């Protein structure tokens, strides 16, 4: 791995990649620092925001390479990464309390803002007018993500251990998954009562580029997986035990041959890359549309049942398949940003330090 040093004087909290032709990256750190990097890891520009508040999220507009959105305190600043001279625009007070996460939809026409008060606000762009205020979380909302291919669908996750899917047409969620209930059911099922698990506080949510598979990193060390079916219903859910301590980061990679590669990071100092293409939560899709069943269908016989089971491996089996790559980073992970650097799949990692570490995935 290589170190991108000299970019910050305070611990780095977030990293974003533009994916545009210039392939810029941006990182935000404590006390209001924003730094823009090129693909070689050279600092192009640095800025200290006047507020001096920690920079908690940095996202590039997919529609306009000249727009970088950063959150600090209750404010979102719009910057031009190509000439970092101070804010092009300030969206002040869009968070009721400190903002934790920003997300842009694919068209760059909506910005979701998640904050400590448990509120998610959706702003129309340009202009930053509040179009929706979504109040259902009962604790800090740590992470938001739009669904690719569904610019009006949004996922949020929080320290209330809930993951919610929203349609921007409504102010109540399409569905809510309570990770604590899931964890309790699983423990009961495995007869492991009495073992203390960290509660599954949700830290980071990501949606695969197909738009239908969600991953949520949680404090129980698991990454919880959800599949969205037709009508945006929650079709299936499961989990992988990804880290021996809390999982802080989970991000799908959009630039590999299939969309089910997932990068994770945790408080155990590990960074890992998972191939979820064979995970039972994902494989549902490949079975195609169910045939219209004849009315006089008999119950499947034992042999047919066994065959069905053989085709869909149990969750246990899926849990056993470990990561395709893992890196012992050694320090608690604040952020993992998957990106192409000079055409090479890479992970840019921020920890408790002022430096970024870059891991190549060329080994795949």
């Amino acid at each position: 791995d290589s170190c991108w040093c000299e970019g910050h004087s305070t611990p780095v909290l977030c990293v974003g990649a533009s994916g545009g032709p210039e392939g810029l990256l941006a990182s935000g750190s404590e006390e209001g620092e924003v730094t823009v990097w090129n693909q070689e890891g050279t600092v192009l520009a640095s800025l200290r925001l006047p507020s001096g508040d920690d920079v908690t999220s940095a996202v590039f507009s997919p529609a306009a390479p000249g727009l970088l959105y950063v959150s600090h305190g209750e404010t979102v600043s719009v910057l031009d990464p190509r000439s970092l001279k101070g804010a092009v625009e300030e969206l002040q007070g869009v968070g009721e309390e400190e903002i934790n996460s920003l997300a842009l939809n694919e068209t760059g026409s909506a910005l979701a803002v998640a904050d400590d008060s448990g509120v998610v606000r959706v702003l129309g762009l340009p202009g930053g007018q509040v179009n929706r205020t979504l109040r259902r979380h009962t604790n800090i909302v740590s992470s938001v993500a739009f669904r690719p291919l569904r610019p009006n669908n949004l996922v949020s996750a929080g320290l209330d251990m809930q993951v919610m899917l929203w349609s921007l047409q409504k102010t109540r969620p399409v569905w809510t998954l309570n990770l604590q209930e899931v964890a309790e059911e699983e423990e009961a099922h495995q007869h492991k009562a009495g073992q203390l698990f960290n509660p599954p506080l949700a830290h980071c949510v990501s949606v695969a580029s197909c738009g239908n598979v969600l991953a949520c990193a949680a404090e129980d060390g698991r990454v919880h997986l959800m599949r969205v079916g037709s009508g945006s219903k929650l079709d299936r859910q499961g989990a992988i035990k990804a880290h021996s301590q809390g999982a802080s980061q989970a991000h799908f990679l959009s630039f590999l041959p299939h969309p089910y590669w997932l990068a994770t990071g945790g408080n155990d100092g590990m960074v890992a890359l998972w191939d979820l293409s064979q995970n039972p939560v994902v494989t549902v899709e490949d079975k195609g549309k169910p045939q219209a069943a004849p009315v006089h269908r008999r119950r499947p016989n034992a042999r047919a049942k066994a065959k069905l089971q053989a085709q869909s491996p149990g969750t246990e089996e899926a849990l056993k398949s470990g990561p395709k790559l893992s890196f012992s980073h050694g320090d608690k992970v604040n952020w993992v940003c998957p990106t192409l650097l000079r055409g090479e799949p890479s992970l840019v990692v921020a920890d408790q330090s002022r430096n970024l570490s870059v891991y190549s995935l060329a080994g795949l």
Side-chain angles (χ1 to χ4, degrees):
D1 81 301
S2 61
C3 173
W4 288 13
C5 309
E6 315 299 323
H8 288 275
S9 65
T10 56
V12 181
L13 301 175
C14 60
V15 185
S18 74
E22 293 151 342
L24 300 178
L25 286 95
S27 51
S29 72
E30 292 177 6
E31 297 172 31
E33 286 184 2
V34 179
T35 297
V36 173
W37 311 77
N38 69 9
Q39 302 231 326
E40 279 74 40
T42 305
V43 172
L44 299 180
S46 263
L47 174 71
R48 189 180 280 261
L49 297 164
S51 74
D53 289 322
D54 293 356
V55 179
T56 54
S57 190
V59 293
F60 286 87
S61 169
L67 293 175
L68 168 66
Y69 295 83
V70 298
S71 56
H72 51 107
E74 294 156 22
T75 300
V76 175
S77 292
V78 189
L79 308 172
D80 182 346
R82 300 162 307 185
S83 78
L84 211 57
K85 297 278 190 289
V88 179
E89 194 181 351
E90 294 272 358
L91 307 173
Q92 286 179 333
V94 290
E96 291 187 9
E97 291 176 27
E98 187 183 11
I99 297 167
N100 298 308
S101 176
L102 299 177
L104 281 158
N105 66 355
E106 280 181 320
T107 54
S109 64
L111 174 71
V113 177
D115 74 20
D116 275 1
S117 74
V119 167
V120 177
R121 287 215 169 110
V122 183
L123 281 52
L125 297 176
Q129 180 188 342
V130 177
N131 290 340
R132 277 272 178 267
T133 299
L134 308 174
R135 296 178 193 275
R136 271 301 152 100
H137 284 281
T138 56
N139 202 328
I140 287 170
V141 185
S142 46
S143 183
V144 276
F146 280 94
R147 276 178 77 189
L149 311 177
R150 304 270 193 297
N152 285 323
N153 271 205
L154 181 72
V155 184
S156 62
L159 302 193
D160 57 0
M161 300 179 268
Q162 302 199 93
V163 179
M164 300 184 188
L165 177 76
W166 307 84
S167 158
L168 297 187
Q169 282 83 12
K170 303 191 174 74
T171 52
R172 61 170 191 274
V174 180
W175 53 258
T176 297
L177 180 66
N178 184 319
L179 300 182
Q180 191 173 23
E181 285 170 14
V182 169
E184 283 167 4
E185 268 173 45
E186 196 163 305
E187 280 167 46
H189 180 64
Q190 294 176 355
H191 312 295
K192 285 186 184 165
Q195 262 186 283
L196 287 175
F197 289 93
N198 283 336
L201 310 172
H203 293 307
C204 180
V205 70
S206 177
V207 190
S209 58
C210 67
N212 297 329
V213 177
L214 280 53
C216 179
E219 191 59 34
D220 57 358
R222 291 190 179 96
V223 174
H224 296 265
L225 303 173
M226 288 142 269
R227 164 163 213 93
V228 184
S230 58
S232 295
K233 288 193 305 287
L234 175 58
D235 238 12
R236 193 148 183 188
Q237 56 87 21
I240 54 170
K241 180 77 176 124
H243 294 274
S244 62
Q245 294 177 40
S248 55
Q249 289 281 289
H251 296 275
F252 281 103
L253 282 65
S254 58
F255 44 78
L256 291 179
H258 69 68
Y260 306 116
W261 291 96
L262 182 77
T264 67
N267 297 343
D268 55 0
M270 297 300 290
V271 173
L273 182 73
W274 307 79
D275 177 355
L276 300 179
S277 59
Q278 298 310 307
N279 185 287
V281 175
V282 172
T283 51
V284 190
E285 187 173 46
D286 308 331
K287 299 204 171 72
K289 298 256 188 304
Q291 306 279 295
V295 184
H296 56 77
R297 186 177 63 174
R298 288 202 305 269
R299 294 179 62 177
N301 61 26
R303 196 183 305 158
K305 259 191 191 150
K307 200 171 153 195
L308 268 173
Q309 278 162 348
Q311 281 173 343
S312 57
T315 322
E316 276 309 296
E317 199 174 315
L319 285 176
K320 284 194 199 94
S321 53
K324 277 289 180 281
L325 289 176
S326 72
F327 306 97
S328 178
H329 180 69
D331 197 358
K332 201 174 152 202
V333 174
N334 277 346
W335 204 277
V336 175
C337 175
T339 186
L340 288 169
L341 294 176
R342 300 185 300 266
E344 191 170 282
S346 307
L347 300 178
V348 181
V349 176
D351 53 33
Q352 314 288 290
S353 77
R354 301 174 300 194
N355 302 328
L356 294 175
S357 302
V358 178
Y359 293 94
S360 165
L361 304 179
L364 288 175

